[in-house]
Structure formats: C-alpha cells, structure tokens
Amino acid sequence: MEQEEKKEEAVQIKRQSNKSFFFSIICLLIVLLMIVGFSTAIYSFTNEENNINTIDTGNISLMFTEDTNGITITDAKPLSDEMGKVLNGSGEYFDFTIQATIKGKATTTYEISAEKTTNSTLENNEVKLYLEQQKNGIYEEVMEPTVFTPLTEQTEIGSSVGSMLLTKNSVDETTSVKYRLRMWMADDAEITGTSRTFSVQVAVNAKIDT
C-alpha cells in the first residue's frame, strides 16, 4: 500500500513538472511573438520622374509623390535669400507630397534629404536650399535658406552620407503633407565665364514602429 502511494505521488510530481515545462514554453513563445510584433522597419525611396513610390507594412502605407520633375541650377545668377525664397518659375521649385495611411496604433518617422547628382559642378557653399510645408493652403518655412551641407555619417533612419538633411517629422495618424523645395545660387557665389550646374534629387527615409 505504501509503495503504491509512493508511485502515485511520483506520477503526480511528474505531471506537475510536465505542466510547468509546457507553461514555460508557451510563455517563451508569447515573448517571442511580442518581440516580432513590435519590430522596427526602415525603408527608403528616391524620387523618379513621374513616379509614385510606396511602402506598405499592412497597417502603414507611406507614399511619396512628385508634382514636378525635379530641380536644377543651370547658368543661374547669384540671388539674395529674399529673392530665392519666392522663386516661382518653371524648374525653380520642386513640389512633392508625403502621404501616410495608418491603421491602428503605429508611428512613422521620416526624414527628407537632398542628394546631389554627380554632374553638379557648383561648390556646395555656392548653393542654397529652402524647404516649405503647406499648412491650411499656405506654404510655411520648414528649413531656412541654407547652403548645401552634406551629412558626414548616415542617420539612424537612413539618410545617406553626402546627402543634406532637410527636415524630420513623425506622424501617428493618416495624413498628407505637401512640401516645396527651392534652390538657388548664393549671393556670394563666384561668377565665372563657364557654365556650371547643380542638381539634387529628393530622398525620403522612413522608420516605422509597429
């Protein structure tokens, strides 16, 4: 009788041990799923003429559209900041839109940068860039007139070395943001007898926390 009780007790201990083991496995799986569920995704895209660039993670869609074909300085004359900020002719500004569609609780942080093309011949300090954001139908200053200042190291979000960071913004709800970029030759730039150019492409890098 005593031996049977001991066997029964051993069986009960083994069952409890098995339950604890399976419970530990389940807890571990839950933790792993939580880690995966709260992972961070980083995406980037650069403007291409007449193109729409989209990234989609299921609950967030970030779209980058261009309303014009880009911006280039060619045979331009030096301008003051006051004149550069109101340039409105063909090819003198670049419009683009960031469209974020967010479902549920999530946050997108994006950076806008300007990447100089390899055929540019003006010096960085001879060119100024100016960024505005449309609010209530009116464009407002986001970045004051600033000479092209290349990054010396890549940002956490992904703006590349050599590009110029224009602005950084975070959104946690569906929104559409319109931007306008202007670029001109600085008023203290050296005037030479040769034709010189400067071109940039707009790049958007996004970090999505879900």
Side-chain angles (χ1 to χ4, degrees), residues 168-193:
K168 181 178 179 180
N169 192 22
S170 294
V171 293
D172 57 8
E173 61 182 2
T174 296
T175 186
S176 179
V177 187
K178 291 186 177 182
Y179 291 96
R180 173 166 291 177
L181 177 66
R182 289 185 174 90
M183 185 172 69
W184 61 89
M185 186 183 292
D187 57 2
D188 58 353
E190 181 182 357
I191 300 177
T192 67

Side-chain angles (χ1 to χ4, degrees), residues 11 148 155 162-163 202:
V11 170
F148 188 89
T155 67
S163 67
V202 171

Side-chain angles (χ1 to χ4, degrees), residues 94-145:
F94 176 66
D95 285 350
F96 59 98
T97 302
I98 302 295
Q99 174 70 52
T101 303
I102 299 176
K103 300 176 183 178
K105 295 182 178 180
T107 300
T108 299
T109 300
Y110 63 86
E111 291 177 340
I112 300 174
S113 59
E115 297 182 350
K116 182 175 68 172
T117 61
T118 56
N119 62 341
S120 298
T121 54
L122 282 164
E123 298 296 329
N124 292 342
N125 61 0
E126 294 181 305
V127 175
K128 284 194 172 181
L129 291 88
Y130 176 63
L131 185 68
E132 294 177 306
Q133 175 182 332
Q134 190 182 88
K135 295 181 179 179
N136 299 319
I138 300 174
Y139 280 98
E140 299 180 359
E141 181 177 288
V142 173
M143 184 193 73
E144 64 182 9

Side-chain angles (χ1 to χ4, degrees), residues 18-161:
N18 288 339
K19 288 180 180 180
S20 298
F21 174 77
F22 286 120
F23 180 77
S24 298
I25 293 296
I26 291 172
C27 288
L28 179 60
L29 288 174
I30 291 173
V31 171
L32 288 174
L33 286 172
M34 289 178 65
I35 292 173
V36 172
F38 287 91
S39 62
T40 298
I42 297 179
Y43 300 86
S44 65
F45 39 73
T46 304
N47 67 298
E48 298 177 3
E49 186 172 339
N50 300 322
N51 192 36
I52 296 177
N53 302 276
T54 305
I55 58 176
D56 199 332
T57 64
N59 63 336
I60 296 178
S61 178
L62 185 66
M63 185 169 62
F64 172 38
T65 64
E66 307 89 64
D67 301 326
T68 59
N69 294 335
I71 185 166
T72 301
I73 294 175
T74 304
D75 293 332
K77 296 180 180 179
L79 295 176
S80 66
D81 289 351
E82 288 72 21
M83 295 180 65
K85 290 167 64 174
V86 295
L87 287 171
N88 205 36
S90 176
E92 293 181 335
Y93 64 91
F94 176 66
D95 285 350
F96 59 98
T97 302
I98 302 295
Q99 174 70 52
T101 303
I102 299 176
K103 300 176 183 178
K105 295 182 178 180
T107 300
T108 299
T109 300
Y110 63 86
E111 291 177 340
I112 300 174
S113 59
E115 297 182 350
K116 182 175 68 172
T117 61
T118 56
N119 62 341
S120 298
T121 54
L122 282 164
E123 298 296 329
N124 292 342
N125 61 0
E126 294 181 305
V127 175
K128 284 194 172 181
L129 291 88
Y130 176 63
L131 185 68
E132 294 177 306
Q133 175 182 332
Q134 190 182 88
K135 295 181 179 179
N136 299 319
I138 300 174
Y139 280 98
E140 299 180 359
E141 181 177 288
V142 173
M143 184 193 73
E144 64 182 9
T146 308
V147 295
F148 188 89
T149 308
L151 292 168
T152 56
E153 59 182 25
Q154 181 172 299
T155 67
E156 180 183 353
I157 292 180
S159 295
S160 61
V161 174

